[in-house]
Amino acid sequence: SFSGKAVASVRQLEGNPEFEVLEGPGYWTLNLYFNTARAPFDQQSVRQAIAYAIDRQGIVDKAQMGGAVVASTGILSPDTYWHQPNLPTYPYDPEQAQSLLIAAGVGSLEISLRTTETYVRDAELIKNDLGALGIGVTVKTADMATVDSLLDEGNFDLLITGHGGTANPDMDTRIPDGVWSSSAYNEAYARSTRALDDAERREHVWRMQEIIAEELPVLALWHPLMWEVYRPGKAQPFYTADGVANGIPTANNKLMFLARGE
């Protein structure tokens, strides 16, 4: 399981001699989407300013109780083969954020942030961070189906929802064309689907991540951690690199039931 709410229970079990706790990566990503069809989010510098204004480590610590890691700005988890490690990171820097907003001619601003009840704490922390720069944020929650519809329709300013769940970089349909579109990204994705081996495909996947991180239609917030709690015995769970099956991040690989050689 992964959730900031599960962290306290897991930490308690770590001191229980009856159980073993195995910690591993989650390939899922919580994202902050910008509606680049609406001013001022149509300006790349404004999106970058907001990225600098958000304390993502603070969100991990406060909203997720340390049960996650700050996300790669290319969306794909650093724990996968496909991750591009040399991306802009947008560290928390309110002064840089303010400078970019001034240069973009953005003063006081009132916007809405849509998400589900699950991520309202994350949204409130973002509201506080942006409020310090004079950006008023109204957080509005709805069920997942409604939030997904708002994303698909492009009916939002900022929106928080999740993406992923596997290590397979199938990133084609996560951002509706009405919200953001890039011919370079689409071409890189198309080339990745035609690649004949993983090394060639990774070149194109790296380019996709570079475009996302630089143009910033989405700010990836965090990747969750996962835990497997078990009683020591014959089976020894382990996290398989890049997951099992089509990339599912689980410690329950059937190979854990096979006898191991001395």
Side-chain angles (χ1 to χ4, degrees):
S1 173
F2 67 85
S3 169
K5 297 177 181 179
V7 176
S9 298
V10 169
R11 298 305 180 223
Q12 289 178 345
L13 288 171
E14 285 179 331
N16 189 324
E18 292 186 36
F19 299 100
E20 293 286 344
V21 178
L22 182 65
E23 184 176 279
Y27 303 142
W28 191 87
T29 312
L30 187 69
N31 290 325
L32 174 69
Y33 288 82
F34 298 93
N35 190 343
T36 69
R38 292 184 180 179
F41 309 116
D42 56 341
Q43 298 183 63
Q44 181 183 13
S45 60
V46 172
R47 301 193 296 271
Q48 291 174 337
I50 290 178
Y52 281 117
I54 294 173
D55 183 2
R56 292 186 292 157
Q57 185 62 57
I59 292 174
V60 166
D61 295 339
K62 297 172 184 177
Q64 300 305 314
M65 299 173 61
V69 296
V70 172
S72 166
T73 53
I75 298 178
L76 291 181
S77 168
D79 293 290
T80 76
Y81 168 81
W82 306 99
H83 172 247
Q84 162 44 303
N86 302 310
L87 299 173
T89 58
Y90 306 101
Y92 179 51
D93 189 341
E95 292 185 3
Q96 175 70 357
Q98 190 72 75
S99 296
L100 286 169
L101 289 175
I102 292 172
V106 176
S108 60
L109 184 65
E110 294 292 330
I111 60 176
S112 66
L113 172 54
R114 308 301 298 262
T115 191
T116 63
E117 191 65 33
T118 302
Y119 306 114
V120 69
R121 177 59 174 155
D122 306 75
E124 291 290 347
L125 290 170
I126 290 173
K127 173 182 176 178
N128 292 341
D129 287 341
L130 298 186
L133 296 180
I135 300 176
V137 179
T138 300
V139 175
K140 300 180 180 180
T141 60
D143 58 70
M144 180 63 75
T146 299
V147 170
D148 286 347
S149 293
L150 292 171
L151 176 61
D152 291 338
E153 297 164 3
N155 188 17
F156 66 94
D157 295 325
L158 302 178
L159 183 147
I160 295 175
T161 190
H163 164 71
T166 73
N168 193 327
D170 184 3
M171 301 161 62
D172 179 36
T173 59
R174 300 311 303 170
I175 309 174
D177 286 343
V179 173
W180 175 78
S181 182
S182 165
S183 58
Y185 183 91
N186 293 341
E187 177 62 20
Y189 176 79
R191 288 177 179 272
S192 77
T193 63
R194 297 193 297 266
L196 299 179
D197 61 71
D198 282 351
E200 179 187 354
R201 187 183 183 203
R202 186 166 68 167
E203 291 181 12
H204 303 305
V205 171
W206 276 31
R207 179 59 185 145
M208 291 158 63
Q209 292 171 78
E210 290 166 1
I211 293 168
I212 291 290
E214 292 166 3
E215 295 196 15
L216 214 64
V218 172
L219 175 64
L221 297 174
W222 49 260
H223 304 298
L225 296 173
M226 299 184 70
W227 301 275
E228 188 76 14
V229 180
Y230 64 97
R231 284 189 171 90
K234 294 182 179 180
Q236 174 69 47
F238 63 93
Y239 286 97
T240 307
D242 278 353
V244 298
N246 65 339
I248 299 169
T250 175
N252 295 315
N253 189 319
K254 62 185 179 181
L255 294 177
M256 71 183 185
F257 296 104
L258 297 179
R260 298 188 179 188
E262 296 298 331

